[in-house]
């Protein structure tokens, strides 16, 4: 599957956005306030975003919840329905652009769109490409029992199971190794 630069950026953005959702009541929200949202926008180099407000924060949190549902979709038809609703509500307006030193690429958000509509349109379309390619199962959640972080499996053979093999994957492999050694010892 060919993934363009802007699609990859949108995928990274949607994964990071979904991973700001607290896993439980004890965990803090990854987007607690407007300055955190501004940092998120800046760190993901989102273009055409104006001054942000509490209204924007609330709208982005709603969009974030909808993206989280897409990652939990049981099948491509369910994911497609959710993506269609999300992108339609954003009022997409595909247009070619070549800003900030990048070659021509497509933005799906309308000029002057809110940050929530910007995310819904661009990130929604990035996820739509996976459904169209029959690759919806690559939109995953970490299989570590104590981690449910979202990720996009871009491995060649669709075998990635953990959000980060150096943390979650390694931790589970070490635990399994210790359990085997303990069992063998008696």
């Amino acid at each position: 599957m060919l993934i363009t630069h802007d699609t990859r950026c949108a995928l990274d953005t949607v994964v990071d956005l979904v991973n700001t959702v607290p896993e439980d009541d004890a965990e803090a929200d990854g987007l607690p306030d407007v300055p955190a949202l501004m940092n998120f926008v800046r760190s993901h180099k989102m273009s055409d975003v104006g001054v942000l407000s509490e209204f924007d924060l609330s709208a982005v949190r709603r969009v974030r919840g909808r993206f989280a549902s897409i990652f939990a979709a049981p099948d491509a038809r369910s994911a497609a329905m959710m993506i269609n609703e999300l992108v339609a509500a954003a009022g997409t307006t595909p247009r070619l652009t070549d800003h900030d030193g990048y070659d021509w690429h497509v933005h799906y958000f309308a000029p002057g769109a809110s940050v929530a509509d910007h995310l819904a349109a661009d990130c929604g379309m990035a996820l739509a490409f996976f459904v169209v390619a029959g690759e919806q199962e690559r939109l995953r959640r970490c299989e570590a029992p104590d981690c449910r972080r979202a990720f996009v499996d871009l491995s060649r053979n669709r075998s990635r199971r953990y959000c980060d093999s150096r943390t979650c994957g390694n931790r589970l492999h070490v635990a399994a190794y210790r359990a085997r050694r303990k069992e063998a010892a008696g």
Side-chain angles (χ1 to χ4, degrees):
M1 178 175 176
L2 175 66
I3 299 174
T4 62
H5 171 77
D6 50 314
T7 299
R8 180 59 193 257
C9 289
L11 290 172
D12 291 343
T13 300
V14 72
V15 165
D16 290 347
L17 180 63
V18 168
N19 288 334
T20 65
V21 175
E23 290 295 317
D24 55 40
D25 292 335
E27 190 176 318
D29 192 308
L31 287 177
D33 51 29
V34 174
L37 178 58
M38 284 188 279
N39 286 336
F40 183 88
V41 166
R42 196 174 309 115
S43 70
H44 289 86
K45 298 179 179 147
M46 293 174 61
S47 61
D48 298 332
V49 175
V51 176
L52 299 174
S53 67
E54 287 292 329
F55 177 81
D56 292 306
L57 178 63
S58 178
V60 167
R61 285 179 175 165
R62 281 192 302 277
V63 166
R64 174 182 71 176
R66 295 179 79 181
F67 279 129
S69 296
I70 293 166
F71 274 83
D75 55 48
R77 183 166 304 284
S78 301
M81 185 180 72
M82 289 185 266
I83 292 168
N84 283 339
E85 289 172 2
L86 186 65
V87 170
T92 58
T93 305
R95 61 189 167 93
L96 289 168
T97 183
D98 66 340
H99 61 87
D100 299 327
Y102 294 108
D103 286 334
W104 290 105
H105 59 282
V106 179
H107 279 185
Y108 295 95
F109 59 93
S114 71
V115 67
D117 285 347
H118 179 141
L119 287 164
D122 272 4
C123 296
M125 289 305 299
L127 298 178
F129 296 144
F130 277 78
V131 174
V132 168
E135 302 285 355
Q136 181 261 336
E137 74 276 0
R138 289 182 182 265
L139 309 177
R140 297 191 175 161
R141 292 289 189 155
C142 184
E143 291 183 18
D146 58 342
C147 179
R148 297 298 301 150
R149 291 179 61 83
F151 67 94
V152 178
D153 179 4
L154 297 177
S155 67
R156 189 173 272 174
N157 62 357
R158 300 174 189 84
S159 63
R160 187 171 161 197
R161 298 173 49 207
Y162 306 109
C163 62
D164 186 344
S165 61
R166 289 171 294 195
T167 55
C168 290
N170 191 45
R171 187 170 29 86
L172 288 175
H173 288 101
V174 168
Y177 171 76
R178 288 181 179 157
R180 285 191 306 272
R181 289 204 37 153
K182 184 177 179 180
E183 186 177 305

